[in-house]
Amino acid sequence: IYTLSLHDALPIFGAVQKESGWNPNARNRSGACGLAQALPCSKVPGNPLNPIDSLNWMHGYVMGRYGSWEKAVAHSKARGWY
């Protein structure tokens, strides 16, 4: 579990809203699931429909791929996905 600053929390809230509308049971046609819409669902350690597991995975994904939430948001705005 991560401790987040408000600076990081606001982009996370926006990303979760965009990805799943805060529905922990959300699924899409491509097979993505959970709050973070992990694809495939099996990427999420534990239960991908558990909000804590999903958010922990999402944070690790963003930090590993982009290095910060700020950079992930910039990528999302430029390309429509992150």
Side-chain angles (χ1 to χ4, degrees):
I1 294 178
Y2 302 95
T3 300
L4 300 172
S5 68
L6 186 57
H7 178 79
D8 284 337
L10 292 176
I12 293 169
F13 294 159
V16 172
Q17 180 62 40
K18 180 179 177 183
E19 293 297 320
S20 65
W22 289 95
N23 177 358
N25 298 309
R27 293 184 182 268
N28 72 22
R29 292 178 298 199
S30 64
C33 70
L35 290 179
Q37 291 294 283
L39 182 63
C41 294
S42 60
K43 282 186 176 180
V44 178
N47 178 356
L49 301 180
N50 176 301
I52 300 294
D53 292 344
S54 186
L55 292 173
N56 279 332
W57 174 83
M58 183 183 208
H59 183 69
Y61 168 80
V62 163
M63 298 310 283
R65 181 169 180 127
Y66 301 103
S68 73
W69 277 96
E70 185 175 32
K71 290 177 184 176
V73 168
H75 183 276
S76 179
K77 285 180 180 179
R79 299 206 170 94
W81 60 274
Y82 78 96

